[in-house]
Amino acid sequence: MGALDADKAAEVIAQLEPRIVVPMHYLTQYTTLKLDPLPKFLKEMGVTEHEPQESLRVARSGLPEQTQVVVLECKQG
């Protein structure tokens, strides 16, 4: 199984136009896979600032109009 690099992932997201994107497959200190780091993906998505969230709760009524990138805290295990 392969993973999309940051620029390809951003391209697919632009085509799909989801309301929320949660990056989940990127280089961290816990992985040895050849993946792009999160900052590269965020740059491709035009995100300049982000604060990792502990969790995400989504309700249809609370969906954003534009695609929003939500970064969840990275925990090992």
Side-chain angles (χ1 to χ4, degrees):
M1 172 168 44
L4 298 176
D5 58 18
D7 59 339
K8 186 64 173 177
E11 183 181 315
V12 170
I13 290 165
Q15 292 173 2
L16 296 175
E17 298 179 346
R19 302 242 186 126
I20 297 176
V21 173
V22 180
M24 58 173 248
H25 205 151
Y26 53 87
L27 181 66
T28 70
Q29 65 187 17
Y30 306 116
T31 185
T32 58
L33 299 173
K34 186 177 177 185
L35 301 170
D36 284 336
L38 179 61
K40 184 172 181 181
F41 172 72
L42 295 175
K43 182 178 178 183
E44 291 289 337
M45 292 297 298
V47 176
T48 57
E49 295 183 26
H50 76 282
E51 185 171 331
Q53 305 294 312
E54 184 175 323
S55 64
L56 172 65
R57 180 172 267 170
V58 179
R60 183 179 291 228
S61 62
L63 289 173
E65 291 295 319
Q66 300 287 335
T67 299
Q68 177 182 348
V69 177
V70 177
V71 177
L72 297 176
E73 291 178 357
C74 182
K75 298 179 182 179
Q76 183 178 13

